[in-house]
Amino acid sequence: MAYFERQKTSQNIMKLVYGEFEVGNKTSEHTVESHEDSEDEIGGLFKKVTSSQKSKQKAKDQLDEDECSFFYALDKPVIRDWTTETNKESLINCFVTGKRSS
Amino acid sequence: MPAIIQNDVLVYKGSNFFRQRLLLSTLSGRSVKIEEIRSTQDDPGLREYEVNLIRLLDKITNGTRVELSETGTSLYYQPGILIGGQVTHSCCPQRGIGYYLEVLLALGPFCKEPLNAVLQGVTHHDLDVSVDKVKAAALPILLKFILVDDGLELKVIRRGAPPLGGGEIVFKCPVRRHLRPLQWTKWGLVKRIRGVVYALRVSPTMANRVVDAAKGVMLNFLPDVYINTDQCRGSNAGKSPGFGVSLVAETNDKTFYCTEAKSVEAGSGDSTLPEDLGRECGMRLLDEIHRGGAVDSSFQWILALWMALGQKDVSECVVGPLSEYTIKFLQHLKEFFGVMFKLEVLREDEDSDEETVVSQKVKLTCVGIGYVNISKRTL
């Protein structure tokens, strides 16, 4: 699930959100794909997927998705069962009935 | 995907975030061009609900120019001046009223005349916030920015389930010259749970079964749980059968979390058990409470918008983990208004010894751009 992966990796949230936006808006497409020669090939057949390719693919996939403002937008994950004892312990302090920590 | 600027027009690709782009374009006055809308799909071009949104924007603005390509895969939108006033609009039943209502809510304070909108359509939809949720969780946020409530109102007159809808709401929003900066870093503890269960064209016992299940979950944590049932009759129940629930958790610092669940569309083959529905909604609410933050996760973006458009002063809010939608919205805000937020991840290390799962909180800080509603008449 995207969010939990993100939570593990997001050291710098500024970069996560603005990332490529730091230098201001692009005026035109000027980045030329650097030619990846055979050094990235595995066994002379497969090419390793670089992270930039991965994010490009992700952006492409998102292009025409349905717009939805929910937190779990289109993927419906299985939500943790909060009523089990251990989970309940951790959540109860969000309620006025929880034990005071002070 | 970042925008490309051509002759001061922001050029985007793809149909996603269509609403964000038009909304920000309207507020900032910058034209947008959206290309390659579903160009690779079997059914290319804009959907009916998106065209419907353009119509709605056309109704509340003056001088908006829209050019659509023949295939509908590319759109040029030049925004006009926000007027507001009395509007009646029948929303496309492909999406919920929430889809349109969120736009009106975001634009409302910046109109020339106070907005008085009658929206007809589907009041509860899987992809959109329901009208109950907007009422419960979004209006209190706006109230924080405008302080005085003179005529902020959302009334659900009729409910309507998909696919046919038939619901109707009235939304009134006052206008402001500018919004106040906001400091909102504490949200307190949940003190009460309220909820509404509605049953449209189904047996009234469905509603009661949902109530029982939802209450069963919430009573684990708090005794103050009260869930209303709204049995709609006759024309008030819309055109399609369905039932659903929305639960609201209120904290002692006036933060409202709201989650919803609804039955699957009639005719889709599946059926929903009321017990499952109530339990599911309860679980979602607990998850939302766990993620925390000063606003409900669905409205982070609207909070960011109003913070950015505030007076030239520092606004500071803490929210739960950012949703994908909010991240995209922050990027769009930067492109349209040049506002960048300072984002910090807060970590509470008090009880780090336990292996409890603590959700990540994000502190949003920004200086408002001093957006002034020039259309508002001053006495």
Side-chain angles (χ1 to χ4, degrees):
Chain A
M1 202 173 55
Y3 156 59
F4 286 111
E5 272 170 40
R6 189 141 51 75
Q7 197 180 18
K8 265 183 263 161
T9 54
S10 68
Q11 285 305 310
N12 188 347
I13 190 158
M14 284 292 274
K15 203 170 171 192
L16 173 84
V17 175
Y18 292 114
E20 50 192 310
F21 289 77
E22 297 282 17
V23 280
N25 294 329
K26 274 192 208 165
T27 42
S28 62
E29 292 279 75
H30 54 76
T31 46
V32 185
E33 288 293 286
S34 58
H35 294 286
E36 279 138 42
D37 289 326
S38 53
E39 69 248 31
D40 272 351
E41 287 182 7
I42 302 168
L45 246 184
F46 305 106
K47 229 174 214 172
K48 238 173 154 179
V49 179
T50 59
S51 63
S52 70
Q53 274 174 315
K54 222 187 241 171
S55 63
K56 218 177 255 174
Q57 186 60 40
K58 199 180 154 218
K60 210 172 177 184
D61 288 343
Q62 278 186 342
L63 221 56
D64 284 326
E65 269 177 11
D66 284 327
E67 185 170 0
C68 179
S69 57
F70 290 127
F71 187 80
Y72 301 117
L74 298 170
D75 51 334
K76 296 273 178 273
V78 182
I79 289 170
R80 221 178 272 135
D81 185 358
W82 289 108
T83 47
T84 59
E85 274 311 310
T86 45
N87 283 335
K88 200 174 155 183
E89 290 271 300
S90 65
L91 192 61
I92 193 82
N93 284 333
C94 297
F95 292 83
V96 282
T97 41
K99 56 177 190 283
R100 293 286 174 278
S101 51
S102 58
Chain B
M1 198 165 272
I4 298 162
I5 298 179
Q6 287 171 350
N7 312 328
D8 214 31
V9 177
L10 293 160
V11 182
Y12 288 99
K13 282 185 181 144
S15 67
N16 208 353
F17 310 110
F18 183 76
R19 193 170 54 149
Q20 286 188 1
R21 286 163 187 167
L22 292 196
L23 167 76
L24 286 169
S25 164
T26 311
L27 282 172
S28 67
R30 299 180 71 173
S31 309
V32 283
K33 190 169 183 183
I34 303 172
E35 290 171 336
E36 292 178 30
I37 300 171
R38 301 194 180 89
S39 53
T40 54
Q41 293 184 11
D42 294 342
D43 179 15
L46 284 176
R47 294 264 193 279
E48 197 187 322
Y49 67 87
E50 287 159 339
V51 176
N52 195 281
L53 177 69
I54 297 173
R55 286 227 183 87
L56 175 64
L57 284 171
D58 192 43
K59 276 183 191 168
I60 58 166
T61 54
N62 202 350
T64 300
R65 237 182 74 199
V66 179
E67 283 165 26
L68 208 64
S69 74
E70 231 161 83
T71 49
T73 51
S74 122
L75 166 99
Y76 174 75
Y77 179 84
Q78 187 182 29
I81 296 171
L82 269 173
I83 298 295
Q86 183 85 42
V87 182
T88 309
H89 186 73
S90 77
C91 302
C92 177
Q94 288 173 350
R95 293 295 291 247
I97 283 180
Y99 182 79
Y100 305 93
L101 186 59
E102 279 184 310
V103 174
L104 289 187
L105 182 66
L107 296 176
F110 307 107
C111 289
K112 182 176 184 180
E113 307 279 342
L115 202 59
N116 184 350
V118 179
L119 301 177
Q120 291 148 342
V122 176
T123 50
H124 303 267
H125 195 278
D126 281 326
L127 288 178
D128 296 299
V129 294
S130 79
V131 289
D132 291 319
K133 179 160 181 169
V134 173
K135 187 174 180 177
L139 295 192
I141 303 173
L142 181 56
L143 219 51
K144 291 250 181 192
F145 282 95
I146 62 175
L147 259 199
V148 193
D149 159 32
D150 40 10
L152 182 62
E153 192 188 314
L154 176 62
K155 211 153 81 192
V156 183
I157 295 172
R158 280 198 284 271
R159 291 174 190 276
L164 294 175
E168 187 175 306
I169 61 142
V170 176
F171 174 60
K172 291 180 188 164
C173 182
V175 290
R176 278 291 176 276
R177 201 166 159 76
H178 34 227
L179 298 177
R180 295 173 62 249
L182 182 67
Q183 278 82 36
W184 197 1
T185 51
K186 291 260 180 313
W187 53 89
L189 305 166
V190 177
K191 66 171 177 186
R192 65 167 76 110
I193 312 273
R194 293 289 177 268
V196 189
V197 177
Y198 59 92
L200 315 174
R201 305 195 170 271
V202 294
S203 157
T205 51
M206 293 296 201
N208 297 333
R209 285 163 68 187
V210 177
V211 170
D212 278 348
K215 214 168 167 176
V217 174
M218 298 320 297
L219 282 178
N220 279 312
F221 294 92
L222 203 68
D224 189 359
V225 180
Y226 191 85
I227 301 172
N228 246 324
T229 54
D230 188 357
Q231 311 277 8
C232 303
R233 288 160 184 279
S235 67
N236 283 351
K239 293 175 188 158
S240 300
F243 58 96
V245 53
S246 65
L247 292 175
V248 185
E250 184 187 346
T251 70
N252 41 22
D253 275 339
K254 291 269 175 286
T255 288
F256 296 85
Y257 304 116
C258 179
T259 54
E260 308 156 303
K262 60 178 278 300
S263 60
V264 291
E265 244 170 66
S268 64
D270 291 342
S271 58
T272 316
L273 256 143
E275 283 80 13
D276 294 347
L277 195 80
R279 199 179 142 73
E280 188 190 336
C281 188
M283 285 300 170
R284 283 193 198 160
L285 184 64
L286 292 173
D287 198 60
E288 181 73 45
I289 291 169
H290 165 71
R291 274 182 272 127
V295 295
D296 187 282
S297 60
S298 306
F299 298 115
Q300 286 167 354
W301 66 274
I302 217 163
L303 176 86
L305 174 75
W306 288 329
M307 279 168 74
L309 297 185
Q311 279 164 298
K312 284 190 177 163
D313 205 343
V314 178
S315 289
E316 190 181 67
C317 290
V318 177
V319 297
L322 295 178
S323 66
E324 205 69 38
Y325 193 76
T326 313
I327 292 176
K328 276 286 172 317
F329 190 77
L330 290 174
Q331 292 172 356
H332 280 121
L333 261 180
K334 168 131 196 302
E335 287 172 330
F336 280 95
F337 286 104
V339 189
M340 230 166 125
F341 280 73
K342 183 163 181 270
L343 309 166
E344 283 168 279
V345 177
L346 305 180
R347 292 198 188 277
E348 295 121 280
D349 294 329
E350 298 155 32
D351 47 348
S352 51
D353 50 314
E354 299 167 43
E355 70 264 31
T356 50
V357 263
V358 185
S359 76
Q360 159 208 65
K361 306 283 187 295
V362 180
K363 188 165 159 192
L364 304 170
T365 318
C366 86
V367 179
I369 57 165
Y371 188 87
V372 179
N373 182 359
I374 40 168
S375 317
K376 185 185 183 295
R377 253 177 266 155
T378 40
L379 295 171

